[in-house]
Amino acid sequence: MRNIVAAITLVIGLFSASVFAETDNYFGLWSNVFAKGNFGKGSPWIWYGDVSGRFTTENDGKFGIGGAVTRAALGYQIDPHQSIMLGYGYQYVEAPYTSGFLHEHRVYQQYLYERPSSFGNWSLRSRLEERRAEGSD
């Protein structure tokens, strides 16, 4: 029985060595800026926006942008804890996350539930996105 286990381990090790030899190594950093507010004191109409950058290094060690996302939305505050929104998002992605470049347009609908607690603010988001992509992939 030990010989069978040793043989299986050897075969798996030999096949996995070729997989590890072809592994790409890069470092990535995703940064975000978010903003939200309402249209006047006491107004139930709200706005939201965010910008995200995905910075990365590839095997050559050069650091650059690998992608960017921006979103904007308008919505309605149902009560102090619940809101609904309709928005648009744009995403640009390039290597190493895709083989060429990709422009993606997203229309989305969102439900957000927020609740403060003694540990901080908790939120639950449900988002439905319709995506349209164009690019080299």
Side-chain angles (χ1 to χ4, degrees), residues 51-113:
V51 177
S52 304
R54 184 184 292 182
F55 304 93
T56 186
T57 67
E58 292 189 61
N59 289 327
D60 60 6
K62 294 179 182 175
F63 196 72
I65 189 159
V69 179
T70 182
R71 291 184 194 88
L74 298 174
Y76 188 81
Q77 190 76 40
I78 299 169
D79 63 32
H81 304 292
Q82 300 179 82
S83 63
I84 54 174
M85 292 186 183
L86 175 64
Y88 169 78
Y90 170 77
Q91 181 171 359
Y92 173 78
V93 182
E94 60 183 40
Y97 301 107
T98 184
S99 60
F101 65 89
L102 181 68
H103 298 277
E104 189 171 272
H105 304 275
R106 305 174 181 189
V107 175
Y108 66 90
Q109 303 82 43
Q110 175 176 297
Y111 169 78
L112 182 64
Y113 180 82

